[in-house]
Amino acid sequence: MRNATTTAEGQVGWTTTDATSRVAPIVLVVEDEPDMQFLLAENLEIAGYAVRTALDAEGALAQVLRRTFDLMIVDVMLPRMSGLEFCRELRARGVRAPIILLTARSEEPDRVLGLDLGADDYVTKPFSVRELLARVRAQMRRTMAQPESRHEFAFGDVRVNTRTRLVLWRGRRVDMSNREFELLRYFLMHRGEVVSREQLLRDVWGYDQTVVTRTVDNFVAKLRQHLESRPHDPRFLVTVHGSGYQLVV
């Protein structure tokens, strides 16, 4: 099913939903030409990606600070802040999602500069949509093949650093027990996946067999109290009835 949503910046976001599949990878398209933006978003969505869009780097940066993206496609010639400056800003902030730059400039110094500033690939306009999608798939495969190396996460009002074990909610430190933090870390490492209670008991608690207990449910309720604005109507850590839990970020 294909759905269109509107972001806080007023831009259109496309999502793909399928009750039988895991959450689609999320791609941010930063392109100031509406026709090109629509073309990219539509083709990415047809290819199975969830898409968010922005017309400029400022709007894109606001989105990146609120949620995690799996890949970004960024036009170099953006108003005010260029795509190159945007790329440099993201890397300075520790954002490690793959970035594919789009540009009308084909000269080698321009390509080298973009790559030196942290871009992962460079596509020159005009380009084939099939080629761009192939490059997107290549970056996704490369990312998936690497072990999880991120340690900073952001969603809603929550900021988490798994290396320092710092959890902030609306800028205030959240005090968590060791088990609560390990459960949160596990959800972050498996974000978007439906995780069963048995899987959590095995991987977080270390039980090697099914145990009839409400331990998981109680700890999930504690996490919601820490991280959700409305714990009884959670937005991020949701229950998938009959299956387990899912961190939707």
Side-chain angles (χ1 to χ4, degrees):
M1 181 182 299
R2 293 161 58 184
N3 302 303
T5 59
T6 303
T7 69
E9 287 74 28
Q11 304 303 319
V12 174
W14 286 264
T15 60
T16 300
T17 57
D18 181 346
T20 64
S21 64
R22 57 176 295 177
V23 174
I26 305 175
V27 178
L28 176 63
V29 175
V30 190
E31 170 60 66
D32 64 326
E33 297 181 16
D35 290 343
M36 177 62 73
Q37 184 191 98
F38 181 84
L39 174 69
L40 293 170
E42 182 73 3
N43 279 277
L44 285 162
E45 191 267 343
I46 291 172
Y49 300 100
V51 182
R52 298 293 183 270
T53 63
L55 289 169
D56 54 42
E58 291 86 349
L61 185 59
Q63 293 191 55
V64 173
L65 294 179
R66 286 204 313 273
R67 70 167 308 145
T68 300
F69 290 96
D70 296 291
L71 182 139
M72 302 179 213
I73 299 175
V74 182
D75 186 21
V76 169
M77 300 300 291
L78 294 172
R80 296 181 296 278
M81 181 189 294
S82 73
L84 295 174
E85 293 171 319
F86 177 63
C87 183
R88 178 165 50 196
E89 179 69 17
L90 290 181
R91 295 315 189 211
R93 290 174 177 265
V95 177
R96 293 292 173 255
I99 298 173
I100 298 177
L101 292 176
L102 303 179
T103 181
R105 299 174 176 175
S106 59
E107 290 80 3
E108 180 181 354
D110 295 315
R111 297 197 303 272
V112 171
L113 176 59
L115 296 171
D116 283 345
L117 289 176
D120 297 273
D121 203 351
Y122 216 102
V123 179
T124 303
K125 297 179 181 179
F127 55 84
S128 160
V129 172
R130 289 181 60 187
E131 179 188 356
L132 178 63
L133 291 176
R135 290 175 180 269
V136 168
R137 291 192 297 271
Q139 290 298 328
M140 290 291 187
R141 286 195 300 270
R142 188 172 294 113
T143 301
M144 293 297 292
Q146 296 174 350
E148 179 65 70
S149 59
R150 289 182 49 201
H151 60 274
E152 293 185 353
F153 301 86
F155 57 94
D157 296 316
V158 181
R159 301 291 182 272
V160 182
N161 187 311
T162 57
R163 180 176 296 169
T164 63
R165 304 177 73 87
L166 176 66
V167 181
L168 300 176
W169 188 78
R170 295 183 178 177
R172 296 183 178 180
R173 187 182 186 112
V174 177
D175 291 325
M176 287 187 176
S177 69
N178 183 64
R179 186 74 71 184
E180 289 169 350
F181 183 82
E182 291 304 321
L183 182 60
L184 173 59
R185 186 210 297 268
Y186 191 85
F187 277 122
L188 288 169
M189 295 302 108
H190 296 81
R191 56 197 179 280
E193 299 179 21
V194 178
V195 183
S196 69
R197 291 172 177 82
E198 291 77 17
Q199 184 177 345
L200 291 169
L201 285 169
R202 182 189 69 231
D203 294 344
V204 179
W205 274 264
Y207 296 157
D208 57 5
Q209 59 184 355
T210 302
V211 179
V212 180
T213 177
R214 290 189 57 83
T215 297
V216 172
D217 298 336
N218 292 335
F219 271 83
V220 168
K222 291 178 181 179
L223 282 186
R224 287 172 173 162
Q225 291 289 337
H226 288 313
L227 308 176
E228 299 274 2
S229 299
R230 300 171 62 187
H232 297 294
D233 184 22
R235 174 184 172 191
F236 301 107
L237 187 51
V238 301
T239 300
V240 181
H241 295 289
S243 298
Y245 296 101
Q246 182 182 31
L247 182 63
V248 182
V249 298

